[in-house]
Amino acid sequence: MGQRSAARREDTARRLARLAALRGAAAQPGELWDVVVLTAADAAQAGAFREQLAEKLRREQLPRAVRYLVCADPPGPRIGNGGSTLHALRCLEEQYGDQWTSFTVLLIHSGGYSQRLPSASALGKIFTALPLGEPVCQMLELKLAMYIDFPRHMRPGVLVTCSDDIELYSTAETITFDRPGFTALAHPSDLAVGTTHGVFVLDPSSLSGEGGLEYGSCYRFLHKPDVQTMWQSGAVCVRRDQPQLSSPGSSGDSAVASQCVYTDSVFYMDHSTAQLLLHFYKQMGTLGCEIDAYGDFLQALGPGATPDYTRNTSNVSREDPGLVAVRQQLYSLLQGTALNVIVLNNSHFYHIGTTQEYLFHFTAESKLRFELGLQPVAFSILPDSAKALEQLSIIQSILEPGCVVGPGSVIEYSRIGPKVSVGKGSIVSGSYINFSVDIPSDCFLSSVSVRITDGVEYATMVFGVGDDLKKSVKLLSDIHSLQLFGVSLPECLDLWSLEPSDQLFSSGDTRLGLWTARIFPVCSTLSESVRMSLNMLNSVQHKSAFKLRGFRLLSVEEMLSYKDVEDMLKFRKQIYDEICLQRQKEKSDYRMNGT
């Protein structure tokens, strides 16, 4: 993988080991974060997060010296991760009073429903399992490990990050957050990556330090710019011996040297800046629109910032009427605030927010797999025949002898019976399959415990891994553009004896899509819900009728609103306990055979 990648692997292993040593233990003052904040989309998601945090603390999987605070977005219109940041600042003040002014805070944006990786929807992206460690490491522990060196060299303030990205880096020097205003980490990236990220236009005269770590100031921050804008703004670095900033408007010589831009990931704001934003939020009362912590905060910073972006809504998923006005107020508030940049020359930003990214990073020979030391089998029981396969990922699951898993597939938190065959490039999550079945390649299967009335029931979503769950239409006449496993939704409904109507969608007549389509049957057992959903898929693949009429049907949206977190965690715990027993038995047998 190369020396740079090997260095990142070595430093990452050290950070993971340091976190492991602090699990369940107290720490020295200032050694760890004073507070770790998880944002949640609503009260229900916040409850799910608190339940999982309590279980992790009970098992001593997290450092005890840290306060953990879950902060749900206020009811009403969605406020985006920028709004969540502002609301979290208010939660910190309400929870800790003036005490929080001396805190170092890690703020992890964990809200949202992970429509591009729905296996993380019910319990949250921040609790996504990684094929690493015994017991398995989740994204929360990885975040704590990646930033474990930061609090000791940080003035009171807030470090903001997202729950589905991973920054791996290697540097011999200490990373220090001690400057007023904002300070952002910057990573060398291809120009194509820059079009989907924030890009820093650095002030070359401000750069100090050498090798892996440089400090500097940002002249201007670009949010998802096109390549031409990067060149014209002077954001492009020409890499010869050292990255060298191009002058604005120059085009460089790609044949002679490679080109890169410095892209964003996490950012820090000192306490006085956080107070400024909190005061703004209190004055606003309610936001009423979605704002972006990166695009709407950072674009206001630096001497080259202009208010032009406040009226540009091309990168906005949903345009709210008050958005431009709120942006303009934020620009006025933050204008003149410093944007410092810490350039990590040996670093890489990874994203695992989609099914394709998840499968690639966990099962292929990816850099992330190498640098994190991800394993094909993590804390699982499976037959010896399956252990030889490298190109798969089995996470806290029990696979019985006789089952077959194709290359490029991920199985997590599941129990797979002896007569099950899983195709290539599939995802199976939270499922119990105790019957004979061939799960096709490129299949996404994820089960959810639901409590609609009194008892616990089950529903299992099934899609193709490439299906677009975010896509929606406004008219019933347009639902033919929605596809499930390559087949149009009306064709699927016909095979299942369901009538297209507004009542078929949980969102009424506003957002008609796979996310809101009431097509998944509710069953009394977990294995039966999996069987029913796989029968649905089989009918679509073979164009054979399978009647769903007579069943109570839920959309994915409704599954999440009815989810029973306690029962889902209970199923995971049963698997966990069985694996622990097996591990103890193996150790006992080893000792007996060794004497």
Side-chain angles (χ1 to χ4, degrees), residues 45 111-122 124-125 128 353 469 515:
Q45 193 176 60
Y113 284 107
S114 190
Q115 288 175 288
R116 295 183 296 172
L117 184 62
S119 49
S121 296
K125 288 185 282 191
T128 298
L469 273 66
W515 188 258

Side-chain angles (χ1 to χ4, degrees), residues 493-513:
L493 298 175
D494 188 50
L495 290 166
W496 302 329
S497 302
L498 297 177
E499 292 290 327
S501 67
D502 288 341
Q503 287 68 46
L504 184 76
F505 296 89
S506 52
S507 58
D509 59 357
T510 54
R511 288 179 297 112
L512 315 180

